[in-house]
Amino acid sequence: MEDQFKKILSHAKEYGFVYPSSEIYEGLSAVYDYGPMGVELKNNIKNYWWKSMVQMHDNIVGIDAAIFMHPKTWKASGHVDAFNDPMIDNKDSNKRYRADVLVEEELAKTEGKIDKEVRKAQKRFGDDFDENQFRATNPRVLRYQEKIDAHQNQLNEAMKSNNMEGLKQLIIDLDITCPVSGSRNWTDVRQFNLMFSTQLGNIAGEESSLYLRPETAQGIFVNFLNVQKTTRQKIPFGIAQIGKAFRNEIVARQFIFRMREFEQMEMQYFIKPGTEMDWYEYWKETRLKWHKSLGTSSEHLRFHKHENLAHYANAAADIEYKFPFGFKELEGIHSRTDFDLGSHQKLSGKKLQYFDPEINESYVPYVLETSIGCDRMFLAMMSESLQEEKVPDSKGNETERTVMKLHPSLAPVKAAILPLVKNKEPLTNRARKIFDDLKLEFQCQYDEKDAIGRRYRRQDAIGTPYCITVDFETLEEDDKVTLRDRDSLGQRRITVEEAKAIVLKETNVSRIL
Protein backbone atom coordinates (compact mmCIF):
# COMPACT_ATOMS: atom_id res chain seq x y z
CA MET A 1 0.00 0.00 0.00
CA GLU A 2 2.87 2.35 0.76
CA ASP A 3 4.39 1.56 -2.65
CA GLN A 4 1.04 2.30 -4.29
CA PHE A 5 0.89 5.69 -2.58
CA LYS A 6 4.40 6.54 -3.81
CA LYS A 7 3.37 5.57 -7.35
CA ILE A 8 0.36 7.90 -7.14
CA LEU A 9 2.54 10.82 -6.02
CA SER A 10 5.07 10.18 -8.76
CA HIS A 11 2.40 9.68 -11.42
CA ALA A 12 0.54 12.83 -10.39
CA LYS A 13 3.58 15.01 -11.00
CA GLU A 14 5.00 13.22 -14.05
CA TYR A 15 1.76 13.43 -16.01
CA GLY A 16 0.66 16.91 -15.01
CA PHE A 17 -2.04 16.17 -12.43
CA VAL A 18 -0.59 17.78 -9.28
CA TYR A 19 2.55 19.81 -8.59
CA PRO A 20 4.04 21.03 -5.29
CA SER A 21 3.18 24.72 -4.96
CA SER A 22 6.05 27.22 -5.39
CA GLU A 23 8.40 24.32 -6.08
CA ILE A 24 11.21 26.54 -7.40
CA TYR A 25 11.36 28.04 -3.90
CA GLU A 26 11.43 24.60 -2.23
CA GLY A 27 7.63 24.46 -2.05
CA LEU A 28 5.13 25.34 0.67
CA SER A 29 4.08 22.70 3.17
CA ALA A 30 0.72 21.06 2.37
CA VAL A 31 -0.08 23.37 -0.55
CA TYR A 32 -0.39 22.00 -4.10
CA ASP A 33 -1.15 23.23 -7.61
CA TYR A 34 -3.24 21.31 -10.13
CA GLY A 35 -1.56 20.85 -13.51
CA PRO A 36 -3.07 20.61 -17.02
CA MET A 37 -4.48 17.10 -16.49
CA GLY A 38 -5.35 17.72 -12.85
CA VAL A 39 -7.46 20.81 -13.46
CA GLU A 40 -9.48 18.95 -16.10
CA LEU A 41 -10.10 15.97 -13.79
CA LYS A 42 -10.98 18.26 -10.88
CA ASN A 43 -13.39 20.30 -13.01
CA ASN A 44 -15.04 17.10 -14.24
CA ILE A 45 -15.54 15.91 -10.65
CA LYS A 46 -17.09 19.24 -9.71
CA ASN A 47 -19.26 19.21 -12.82
CA TYR A 48 -20.58 15.73 -12.07
CA TRP A 49 -21.31 16.67 -8.43
CA TRP A 50 -23.07 19.90 -9.45
CA LYS A 51 -25.21 18.24 -12.11
CA SER A 52 -26.22 15.37 -9.84
CA MET A 53 -26.93 17.69 -6.89
CA VAL A 54 -28.43 20.82 -8.49
CA GLN A 55 -29.46 20.04 -12.06
CA MET A 56 -31.12 16.74 -11.13
CA HIS A 57 -33.13 18.16 -8.17
CA ASP A 58 -35.79 20.81 -8.68
CA ASN A 59 -35.63 21.68 -4.97
CA ILE A 60 -31.85 22.22 -4.72
CA VAL A 61 -30.27 25.47 -5.95
CA GLY A 62 -26.74 26.79 -5.94
CA ILE A 63 -24.86 29.84 -4.68
CA ASP A 64 -21.28 31.09 -4.58
CA ALA A 65 -20.68 32.93 -1.31
CA ALA A 66 -17.65 35.12 -0.59
CA ILE A 67 -14.63 33.73 1.24
CA PHE A 68 -14.52 36.77 3.55
CA MET A 69 -17.46 37.03 5.94
CA HIS A 70 -18.32 39.26 8.87
CA PRO A 71 -16.29 38.05 11.89
CA LYS A 72 -19.49 37.61 13.93
CA THR A 73 -20.36 34.78 11.55
CA TRP A 74 -17.63 32.65 13.09
CA LYS A 75 -18.61 33.62 16.61
CA ALA A 76 -22.17 32.44 15.99
CA SER A 77 -21.04 29.23 14.30
CA GLY A 78 -18.83 28.28 17.25
CA HIS A 79 -15.58 28.37 15.30
CA VAL A 80 -14.03 31.16 17.38
CA ASP A 81 -14.51 29.26 20.63
CA ALA A 82 -14.56 25.61 19.61
CA PHE A 83 -12.80 25.05 16.28
CA ASN A 84 -9.78 23.35 17.80
CA ASP A 85 -7.69 20.21 17.43
CA PRO A 86 -5.70 18.61 20.27
CA MET A 87 -1.99 19.25 19.69
CA ILE A 88 1.02 17.47 21.17
CA ASP A 89 4.78 17.86 20.57
CA ASN A 90 7.60 15.38 20.90
CA LYS A 91 10.42 17.03 22.84
CA ASP A 92 13.18 15.03 21.15
CA SER A 93 12.18 15.42 17.49
CA ASN A 94 10.44 18.81 17.91
CA LYS A 95 7.70 17.41 15.69
CA ARG A 96 4.07 18.38 16.21
CA TYR A 97 1.14 15.97 15.99
CA ARG A 98 -2.60 15.79 16.44
CA ALA A 99 -3.05 13.76 19.60
CA ASP A 100 -6.28 12.11 18.47
CA VAL A 101 -4.73 11.09 15.14
CA LEU A 102 -1.80 9.44 16.95
CA VAL A 103 -4.31 7.32 18.87
CA GLU A 104 -6.39 6.53 15.77
CA GLU A 105 -3.29 5.44 13.85
CA GLU A 106 -2.27 3.17 16.72
CA LEU A 107 -5.72 1.58 16.73
CA ALA A 108 -5.47 1.18 12.96
CA LYS A 109 -2.33 -0.91 13.49
CA THR A 110 -4.38 -3.28 15.65
CA GLU A 111 -7.06 -3.40 12.95
CA GLY A 112 -4.25 -4.37 10.57
CA LYS A 113 -3.42 -7.31 12.82
CA ILE A 114 -7.04 -8.46 12.59
CA ASP A 115 -6.93 -8.19 8.79
CA LYS A 116 -3.73 -10.26 8.79
CA GLU A 117 -5.42 -13.00 10.81
CA VAL A 118 -8.35 -12.96 8.38
CA ARG A 119 -6.06 -13.27 5.35
CA LYS A 120 -4.19 -16.19 6.93
CA ALA A 121 -7.48 -17.96 7.65
CA GLN A 122 -8.70 -17.34 4.09
CA LYS A 123 -5.62 -19.09 2.72
CA ARG A 124 -6.03 -21.98 5.15
CA PHE A 125 -9.73 -22.67 4.59
CA GLY A 126 -10.15 -21.55 0.98
CA ASP A 127 -13.70 -21.49 -0.42
CA ASP A 128 -15.15 -22.81 2.87
CA PHE A 129 -14.01 -19.73 4.78
CA ASP A 130 -16.72 -17.69 6.54
CA GLU A 131 -15.18 -14.32 7.39
CA ASN A 132 -18.05 -13.09 9.58
CA GLN A 133 -18.02 -16.24 11.67
CA PHE A 134 -14.23 -16.11 11.98
CA ARG A 135 -14.30 -12.49 13.18
CA ALA A 136 -17.04 -13.33 15.69
CA THR A 137 -15.40 -16.45 17.16
CA ASN A 138 -11.62 -16.38 16.78
CA PRO A 139 -10.10 -15.72 20.25
CA ARG A 140 -7.16 -13.65 18.98
CA VAL A 141 -9.39 -11.48 16.77
CA LEU A 142 -11.80 -10.98 19.66
CA ARG A 143 -8.96 -9.84 21.94
CA TYR A 144 -7.74 -7.37 19.34
CA GLN A 145 -11.26 -6.05 18.79
CA GLU A 146 -11.89 -5.71 22.52
CA LYS A 147 -8.72 -3.64 22.83
CA ILE A 148 -9.76 -1.42 19.92
CA ASP A 149 -13.27 -0.85 21.29
CA ALA A 150 -12.02 -0.01 24.80
CA HIS A 151 -9.47 2.53 23.62
CA GLN A 152 -11.85 3.97 21.03
CA ASN A 153 -14.37 4.61 23.80
CA GLN A 154 -11.67 6.31 25.88
CA LEU A 155 -10.74 8.51 22.91
CA ASN A 156 -14.37 9.44 22.25
CA GLU A 157 -14.95 10.35 25.88
CA ALA A 158 -11.77 12.45 26.10
CA MET A 159 -12.62 14.33 22.92
CA LYS A 160 -16.24 14.89 23.94
CA SER A 161 -15.30 16.31 27.34
CA ASN A 162 -12.17 18.20 26.12
CA ASN A 163 -10.14 16.13 28.56
CA MET A 164 -6.61 16.87 27.36
CA GLU A 165 -5.03 15.08 30.34
CA GLY A 166 -7.05 11.98 29.57
CA LEU A 167 -5.95 12.13 25.95
CA LYS A 168 -2.29 12.27 26.92
CA GLN A 169 -2.80 9.39 29.33
CA LEU A 170 -4.27 7.34 26.51
CA ILE A 171 -1.13 8.02 24.43
CA ILE A 172 0.96 6.83 27.37
CA ASP A 173 -1.21 3.74 27.95
CA LEU A 174 -0.92 2.76 24.28
CA ASP A 175 2.86 3.23 24.47
CA ILE A 176 2.81 5.46 21.38
CA THR A 177 6.21 6.63 20.18
CA CYS A 178 7.14 9.53 17.91
CA PRO A 179 7.39 8.29 14.31
CA VAL A 180 10.55 10.39 13.82
CA SER A 181 12.54 10.09 17.08
CA GLY A 182 11.03 6.87 18.40
CA SER A 183 10.82 8.43 21.87
CA ARG A 184 7.90 8.79 24.29
CA ASN A 185 9.01 12.21 25.52
CA TRP A 186 5.72 14.08 24.97
CA THR A 187 4.52 17.53 25.98
CA ASP A 188 1.06 18.05 27.47
CA VAL A 189 -1.85 18.08 25.03
CA ARG A 190 -3.35 21.51 24.35
CA GLN A 191 -5.99 22.94 22.06
CA PHE A 192 -5.02 24.65 18.79
CA ASN A 193 -7.46 26.87 16.84
CA LEU A 194 -7.44 26.08 13.13
CA MET A 195 -8.65 29.38 11.64
CA PHE A 196 -6.38 31.66 9.62
CA SER A 197 -6.83 35.30 10.60
CA THR A 198 -6.16 38.44 8.57
CA GLN A 199 -7.19 42.12 8.61
CA LEU A 200 -9.57 44.20 6.55
CA GLY A 201 -7.82 47.30 5.22
CA ASN A 202 -4.44 48.64 6.28
CA ILE A 203 -4.99 49.15 9.99
CA ALA A 204 -5.11 46.08 12.19
CA GLY A 205 -7.59 46.12 15.05
CA GLU A 206 -10.36 44.14 16.67
CA GLU A 207 -13.06 45.61 14.46
CA SER A 208 -11.12 44.89 11.27
CA SER A 209 -10.09 41.29 12.10
CA LEU A 210 -11.24 38.75 9.56
CA TYR A 211 -10.87 35.02 9.08
CA LEU A 212 -10.35 32.95 5.99
CA ARG A 213 -13.41 30.72 6.08
CA PRO A 214 -12.69 27.27 7.54
CA GLU A 215 -15.79 25.83 5.83
CA THR A 216 -18.22 26.88 3.10
CA ALA A 217 -21.43 26.03 4.97
CA GLN A 218 -21.82 29.34 6.82
CA GLY A 219 -22.12 31.26 3.54
CA ILE A 220 -25.19 29.14 2.85
CA PHE A 221 -26.74 29.67 6.27
CA VAL A 222 -26.47 33.46 6.29
CA ASN A 223 -28.08 33.49 2.81
CA PHE A 224 -30.91 31.13 3.78
CA LEU A 225 -33.69 33.74 3.65
CA ASN A 226 -32.33 35.46 0.53
CA VAL A 227 -32.29 32.19 -1.39
CA GLN A 228 -35.65 30.96 -0.07
CA LYS A 229 -37.43 34.18 -0.98
CA THR A 230 -35.89 34.67 -4.42
CA THR A 231 -36.36 31.06 -5.51
CA ARG A 232 -39.72 30.62 -3.69
CA GLN A 233 -38.63 27.21 -2.46
CA LYS A 234 -40.73 25.25 0.00
CA ILE A 235 -39.25 23.05 2.70
CA PRO A 236 -37.63 20.62 2.16
CA PHE A 237 -35.11 22.31 -0.14
CA GLY A 238 -31.36 22.51 -0.44
CA ILE A 239 -28.63 25.02 -1.21
CA ALA A 240 -25.40 23.77 -2.80
CA GLN A 241 -22.00 25.39 -3.08
CA ILE A 242 -18.50 24.59 -4.30
CA GLY A 243 -15.74 26.73 -2.85
CA LYS A 244 -12.36 27.11 -1.18
CA ALA A 245 -11.86 26.75 2.57
CA PHE A 246 -8.75 27.20 4.72
CA ARG A 247 -7.55 25.45 7.87
CA ASN A 248 -4.28 25.88 9.70
CA GLU A 249 -3.85 22.15 10.18
CA ILE A 250 -1.47 21.00 12.93
CA VAL A 251 -0.18 18.25 10.68
CA ALA A 252 -1.10 18.51 7.03
CA ARG A 253 0.14 15.44 5.18
CA GLN A 254 -0.74 12.47 2.99
CA PHE A 255 -0.45 14.53 -0.19
CA ILE A 256 -3.71 16.32 -1.09
CA PHE A 257 -5.75 14.39 1.49
CA ARG A 258 -5.16 17.02 4.17
CA MET A 259 -4.21 20.50 3.01
CA ARG A 260 -4.34 24.01 4.40
CA GLU A 261 -6.14 25.31 1.31
CA PHE A 262 -8.77 22.97 -0.08
CA GLU A 263 -12.08 22.87 -1.93
CA GLN A 264 -15.42 21.65 -0.62
CA MET A 265 -18.60 20.55 -2.36
CA GLU A 266 -21.40 21.03 0.17
CA MET A 267 -25.17 20.90 0.20
CA GLN A 268 -27.29 22.07 3.12
CA TYR A 269 -30.80 20.59 3.07
CA PHE A 270 -33.38 22.55 5.05
CA ILE A 271 -36.07 20.37 6.61
CA LYS A 272 -38.92 20.38 9.08
CA PRO A 273 -37.86 19.64 12.69
CA GLY A 274 -38.59 16.04 13.58
CA THR A 275 -37.91 14.68 10.08
CA GLU A 276 -34.12 14.84 10.32
CA MET A 277 -33.49 11.12 10.92
CA ASP A 278 -35.47 10.11 7.83
CA TRP A 279 -33.52 12.57 5.68
CA TYR A 280 -30.27 11.52 7.36
CA GLU A 281 -30.78 7.92 6.20
CA TYR A 282 -31.95 9.07 2.77
CA TRP A 283 -28.89 11.18 2.06
CA LYS A 284 -26.50 8.54 3.43
CA GLU A 285 -27.75 6.03 0.90
CA THR A 286 -28.04 8.58 -1.92
CA ARG A 287 -24.48 9.77 -1.50
CA LEU A 288 -23.11 6.22 -1.29
CA LYS A 289 -24.82 5.40 -4.61
CA TRP A 290 -23.20 8.51 -6.12
CA HIS A 291 -19.75 7.19 -5.32
CA LYS A 292 -20.52 3.69 -6.56
CA SER A 293 -21.90 5.06 -9.84
CA LEU A 294 -18.35 6.09 -10.79
CA GLY A 295 -17.24 2.48 -10.64
CA THR A 296 -15.69 2.67 -7.16
CA SER A 297 -15.50 -0.79 -5.62
CA SER A 298 -17.98 -1.46 -2.80
CA GLU A 299 -15.09 -3.00 -0.85
CA HIS A 300 -13.36 0.38 -0.87
CA LEU A 301 -16.32 2.28 0.63
CA ARG A 302 -17.87 2.07 4.07
CA PHE A 303 -19.84 4.09 6.59
CA HIS A 304 -18.27 5.23 9.85
CA LYS A 305 -20.71 6.43 12.48
CA HIS A 306 -19.53 9.31 14.68
CA GLU A 307 -19.61 8.56 18.39
CA ASN A 308 -18.00 11.89 19.30
CA LEU A 309 -20.47 14.36 17.77
CA ALA A 310 -19.71 17.97 16.91
CA HIS A 311 -21.44 20.62 19.00
CA TYR A 312 -24.02 21.27 16.27
CA ALA A 313 -24.98 17.67 15.41
CA ASN A 314 -27.38 15.03 16.71
CA ALA A 315 -26.21 12.40 14.19
CA ALA A 316 -23.22 12.11 11.88
CA ALA A 317 -21.55 9.55 9.65
CA ASP A 318 -18.68 9.54 7.20
CA ILE A 319 -18.41 7.74 3.90
CA GLU A 320 -14.87 6.44 4.14
CA TYR A 321 -12.73 5.38 1.20
CA LYS A 322 -9.88 2.89 1.37
CA PHE A 323 -6.95 5.10 0.37
CA PRO A 324 -3.47 3.55 0.08
CA PHE A 325 -2.94 4.69 3.68
CA GLY A 326 -6.17 3.09 4.96
CA PHE A 327 -9.86 3.91 5.31
CA LYS A 328 -10.29 7.68 5.74
CA GLU A 329 -13.13 10.19 5.53
CA LEU A 330 -14.21 11.10 2.02
CA GLU A 331 -17.63 12.64 2.66
CA GLY A 332 -19.59 13.62 5.76
CA ILE A 333 -23.35 13.41 6.26
CA HIS A 334 -24.41 15.42 9.32
CA SER A 335 -27.71 16.21 10.98
CA ARG A 336 -26.94 19.76 12.15
CA THR A 337 -30.31 20.37 13.90
CA ASP A 338 -31.26 24.10 14.05
CA PHE A 339 -27.94 25.09 15.60
CA ASP A 340 -26.61 27.20 12.72
CA LEU A 341 -29.72 29.18 11.81
CA GLY A 342 -30.64 29.49 15.50
CA SER A 343 -27.20 30.83 16.44
CA HIS A 344 -27.13 33.35 13.58
CA GLN A 345 -30.65 34.45 14.44
CA LYS A 346 -29.67 35.03 18.06
CA LEU A 347 -26.44 36.93 17.43
CA SER A 348 -27.67 38.99 14.47
CA GLY A 349 -31.10 39.78 15.88
CA LYS A 350 -32.62 38.90 12.48
CA LYS A 351 -35.32 36.24 12.18
CA LEU A 352 -34.16 33.24 10.15
CA GLN A 353 -37.41 31.34 10.07
CA TYR A 354 -39.60 29.65 7.51
CA PHE A 355 -43.36 30.08 7.40
CA ASP A 356 -44.86 26.67 6.70
CA PRO A 357 -48.27 27.11 4.99
CA GLU A 358 -49.17 23.46 5.62
CA ILE A 359 -49.21 23.91 9.41
CA ASN A 360 -49.64 27.70 9.41
CA GLU A 361 -46.57 28.15 11.65
CA SER A 362 -43.10 29.66 11.48
CA TYR A 363 -40.05 27.76 12.70
CA VAL A 364 -36.27 27.64 12.42
CA PRO A 365 -35.59 24.77 9.99
CA TYR A 366 -33.33 21.86 10.80
CA VAL A 367 -30.45 21.16 8.43
CA LEU A 368 -29.10 17.95 6.91
CA GLU A 369 -25.63 18.43 5.43
CA THR A 370 -23.64 16.51 2.85
CA SER A 371 -20.05 17.69 2.56
CA ILE A 372 -17.35 16.19 0.35
CA GLY A 373 -13.78 17.32 -0.11
CA CYS A 374 -13.12 17.85 -3.81
CA ASP A 375 -9.38 17.25 -3.34
CA ARG A 376 -10.03 14.04 -1.42
CA MET A 377 -12.40 12.90 -4.15
CA PHE A 378 -9.64 13.64 -6.67
CA LEU A 379 -7.20 11.50 -4.68
CA ALA A 380 -9.78 8.72 -4.33
CA MET A 381 -10.31 8.66 -8.10
CA MET A 382 -6.57 8.48 -8.71
CA SER A 383 -6.21 5.72 -6.10
CA GLU A 384 -9.10 3.74 -7.58
CA SER A 385 -8.10 4.09 -11.23
CA LEU A 386 -4.29 3.93 -11.33
CA GLN A 387 -3.29 0.38 -12.24
CA GLU A 388 -0.41 -1.59 -13.68
CA GLU A 389 -1.36 -4.55 -15.84
CA LYS A 390 0.07 -6.90 -18.40
CA VAL A 391 -1.33 -6.62 -21.93
CA PRO A 392 -0.34 -8.08 -25.32
CA ASP A 393 1.72 -5.89 -27.65
CA SER A 394 1.38 -5.68 -31.44
CA LYS A 395 3.41 -8.89 -31.84
CA GLY A 396 1.39 -10.84 -29.28
CA ASN A 397 4.05 -10.64 -26.57
CA GLU A 398 3.11 -9.67 -23.02
CA THR A 399 4.06 -6.19 -21.90
CA GLU A 400 3.23 -4.02 -18.89
CA ARG A 401 1.32 -0.76 -19.03
CA THR A 402 0.34 1.90 -16.53
CA VAL A 403 -3.26 2.94 -17.01
CA MET A 404 -5.75 5.18 -15.24
CA LYS A 405 -9.14 3.52 -15.62
CA LEU A 406 -11.14 6.62 -14.79
CA HIS A 407 -14.83 6.71 -15.58
CA PRO A 408 -14.94 8.15 -19.14
CA SER A 409 -17.00 11.15 -18.02
CA LEU A 410 -14.26 12.14 -15.56
CA ALA A 411 -11.29 11.58 -17.86
CA PRO A 412 -9.27 14.79 -18.46
CA VAL A 413 -9.03 14.03 -22.19
CA LYS A 414 -11.93 12.26 -23.87
CA ALA A 415 -10.16 11.35 -27.09
CA ALA A 416 -6.65 11.58 -28.54
CA ILE A 417 -6.20 12.18 -32.26
CA LEU A 418 -3.10 10.36 -33.46
CA PRO A 419 -1.70 10.37 -37.02
CA LEU A 420 0.04 7.04 -37.64
CA VAL A 421 3.32 8.77 -38.44
CA LYS A 422 4.49 12.37 -38.01
CA ASN A 423 5.44 14.94 -40.60
CA LYS A 424 3.62 13.08 -43.37
CA GLU A 425 1.30 15.26 -45.35
CA PRO A 426 -1.57 14.99 -46.18
CA LEU A 427 -1.91 12.46 -43.30
CA THR A 428 -1.10 14.94 -40.55
CA ASN A 429 -3.26 17.60 -42.21
CA ARG A 430 -6.24 15.23 -42.15
CA ALA A 431 -5.55 14.35 -38.49
CA ARG A 432 -5.32 18.05 -37.63
CA LYS A 433 -8.63 18.69 -39.37
CA ILE A 434 -10.30 15.90 -37.36
CA PHE A 435 -8.81 17.33 -34.16
CA ASP A 436 -10.06 20.85 -34.95
CA ASP A 437 -13.57 19.51 -35.60
CA LEU A 438 -13.79 17.26 -32.54
CA LYS A 439 -12.34 19.74 -30.03
CA LEU A 440 -15.56 21.71 -30.40
CA GLU A 441 -17.45 18.72 -28.99
CA PHE A 442 -15.21 17.47 -26.15
CA GLN A 443 -11.72 17.76 -24.70
CA CYS A 444 -9.23 16.34 -27.22
CA GLN A 445 -5.49 16.03 -27.51
CA TYR A 446 -3.39 15.88 -30.68
CA ASP A 447 -0.12 13.93 -30.54
CA GLU A 448 2.24 12.87 -33.32
CA LYS A 449 5.49 12.44 -31.36
CA ASP A 450 7.09 8.97 -31.00
CA ALA A 451 5.88 5.59 -32.20
CA ILE A 452 2.14 4.94 -32.09
CA GLY A 453 2.55 2.35 -29.29
CA ARG A 454 4.25 4.88 -27.03
CA ARG A 455 1.53 7.41 -27.73
CA TYR A 456 -1.10 4.85 -26.77
CA ARG A 457 0.75 4.29 -23.47
CA ARG A 458 0.87 8.03 -22.76
CA GLN A 459 -2.88 8.30 -23.25
CA ASP A 460 -3.46 5.23 -21.06
CA ALA A 461 -1.42 6.90 -18.31
CA ILE A 462 -3.65 10.00 -18.22
CA GLY A 463 -6.88 8.00 -18.50
CA THR A 464 -7.95 8.89 -22.05
CA PRO A 465 -10.78 6.44 -22.85
CA TYR A 466 -10.46 6.60 -26.66
CA CYS A 467 -7.71 7.05 -29.23
CA ILE A 468 -8.56 7.88 -32.84
CA THR A 469 -5.74 6.83 -35.17
CA VAL A 470 -5.54 8.36 -38.64
CA ASP A 471 -3.61 6.27 -41.18
CA PHE A 472 -3.07 6.31 -44.94
CA GLU A 473 -6.18 4.21 -45.51
CA THR A 474 -8.17 7.03 -43.91
CA LEU A 475 -7.34 9.15 -46.94
CA GLU A 476 -8.52 6.45 -49.32
CA GLU A 477 -11.12 4.37 -47.47
CA ASP A 478 -14.19 6.56 -47.11
CA ASP A 479 -12.67 8.61 -44.27
CA LYS A 480 -12.47 5.70 -41.80
CA VAL A 481 -10.25 5.82 -38.70
CA THR A 482 -9.26 3.30 -36.02
CA LEU A 483 -11.01 3.81 -32.67
CA ARG A 484 -9.10 2.22 -29.77
CA ASP A 485 -10.74 1.52 -26.42
CA ARG A 486 -8.55 2.13 -23.35
CA ASP A 487 -9.93 -0.68 -21.21
CA SER A 488 -10.61 -3.51 -23.65
CA LEU A 489 -7.80 -2.51 -26.07
CA GLY A 490 -10.30 -3.33 -28.80
CA GLN A 491 -9.89 -1.53 -32.13
CA ARG A 492 -12.42 -1.00 -34.90
CA ARG A 493 -12.52 0.76 -38.23
CA ILE A 494 -15.32 3.32 -38.36
CA THR A 495 -16.01 6.72 -39.83
CA VAL A 496 -15.05 9.92 -38.05
CA GLU A 497 -18.73 10.70 -37.46
CA GLU A 498 -19.29 7.27 -35.91
CA ALA A 499 -16.22 7.75 -33.68
CA LYS A 500 -17.49 11.15 -32.59
CA ALA A 501 -20.91 9.72 -31.72
CA ILE A 502 -19.37 6.94 -29.61
CA VAL A 503 -17.10 9.30 -27.67
CA LEU A 504 -19.93 11.77 -27.07
CA LYS A 505 -22.23 9.04 -25.82
CA GLU A 506 -19.76 7.17 -23.61
CA THR A 507 -18.19 10.25 -21.99
CA ASN A 508 -21.41 12.17 -21.39
CA VAL A 509 -22.03 12.71 -17.69
CA SER A 510 -25.73 11.97 -18.21
CA ARG A 511 -24.83 8.27 -18.48
CA ILE A 512 -24.17 8.15 -14.74
CA LEU A 513 -26.71 10.67 -13.44
Side-chain angles (χ1 to χ4, degrees), residues 11 15 386-389 400-404 457 459-462:
H11 194 88
Y15 288 95
L386 185 61
Q387 301 174 24
E388 291 181 349
E389 60 182 20
E400 191 172 87
R401 72 164 177 167
T402 298
V403 57
M404 286 189 68
R457 291 293 177 263
Q459 296 302 324
D460 290 341
I462 62 173

Side-chain angles (χ1 to χ4, degrees), residues 50 186 210 227 405:
W50 192 264
W186 299 107
L210 289 180
V227 173
K405 293 191 175 182

Side-chain angles (χ1 to χ4, degrees), residues 18-31:
V18 183
Y19 307 132
S21 181
S22 316
E23 188 176 19
I24 63 170
Y25 295 106
E26 308 303 323
L28 188 62
S29 175
V31 184

Side-chain angles (χ1 to χ4, degrees), residues 57-72:
H57 293 88
D58 58 5
N59 67 335
I60 297 178
V61 296
I63 67 167
D64 184 9
I67 289 173
F68 290 130
M69 302 183 72
H70 195 285
K72 285 186 177 179

Side-chain angles (χ1 to χ4, degrees), residues 281-476:
E281 294 300 329
Y282 169 82
W283 281 109
K284 277 175 60 181
E285 295 306 316
T286 299
R287 295 307 301 151
L288 185 62
K289 288 178 183 177
W290 186 87
H291 290 281
K292 289 182 178 179
S293 69
L294 290 167
T296 303
S297 169
S298 296
E299 296 178 356
H300 294 168
L301 295 166
R302 72 181 187 187
F303 281 115
H304 171 71
K305 183 181 178 182
H306 285 217
E307 299 297 337
N308 179 36
L309 293 173
H311 60 278
Y312 53 76
N314 65 354
D318 293 334
I319 296 175
E320 293 186 331
Y321 175 77
K322 191 176 183 180
F323 291 97
F325 39 84
F327 273 103
K328 297 289 184 181
E329 177 190 353
L330 180 59
E331 177 165 6
I333 297 95
H334 308 128
S335 175
R336 299 183 71 119
T337 68
D338 61 353
F339 172 82
D340 299 282
L341 292 180
S343 296
H344 288 303
Q345 177 175 264
K346 183 178 180 181
L347 190 60
S348 69
K350 307 289 195 312
K351 280 192 175 183
L352 297 177
Q353 298 183 1
Y354 171 77
F355 177 75
D356 194 330
E358 293 185 5
I359 60 174
N360 203 32
E361 287 182 12
S362 294
Y363 53 79
V364 176
Y366 272 37
V367 175
L368 199 290
E369 172 185 72
T370 73
S371 177
I372 177 172
C374 185
D375 308 278
R376 291 185 180 187
M377 186 65 191
F378 184 103
L379 182 56
M381 290 297 93
M382 286 204 70
S383 302
E384 189 73 14
S385 65
L386 185 61
Q387 301 174 24
E388 291 181 349
E389 60 182 20
K390 294 189 180 298
V391 295
D393 61 16
S394 58
K395 298 179 180 179
N397 299 320
E398 203 171 61
T399 183
E400 191 172 87
R401 72 164 177 167
T402 298
V403 57
M404 286 189 68
K405 293 191 175 182
L406 290 162
H407 192 288
S409 67
L410 296 187
V413 177
K414 308 306 184 191
I417 317 303
L418 313 174
L420 187 62
V421 292
K422 66 177 181 178
N423 298 329
K424 282 286 186 180
E425 298 181 5
L427 183 67
T428 51
N429 287 344
R430 181 68 188 112
R432 276 283 181 187
K433 177 65 169 58
I434 293 172
F435 170 72
D436 289 338
D437 290 342
L438 295 186
K439 71 183 181 182
L440 299 173
E441 305 289 345
F442 41 75
Q443 188 71 24
C444 295
Q445 192 173 88
Y446 179 88
D447 187 5
E448 62 177 49
K449 184 181 178 183
D450 295 327
I452 191 69
R454 288 188 179 181
R455 284 181 274 165
Y456 283 153
R457 291 293 177 263
R458 275 204 295 269
Q459 296 302 324
D460 290 341
I462 62 173
T464 305
Y466 296 102
C467 288
I468 297 173
T469 304
V470 183
D471 56 28
F472 292 103
E473 292 181 357
T474 304
L475 305 177
E476 306 162 2

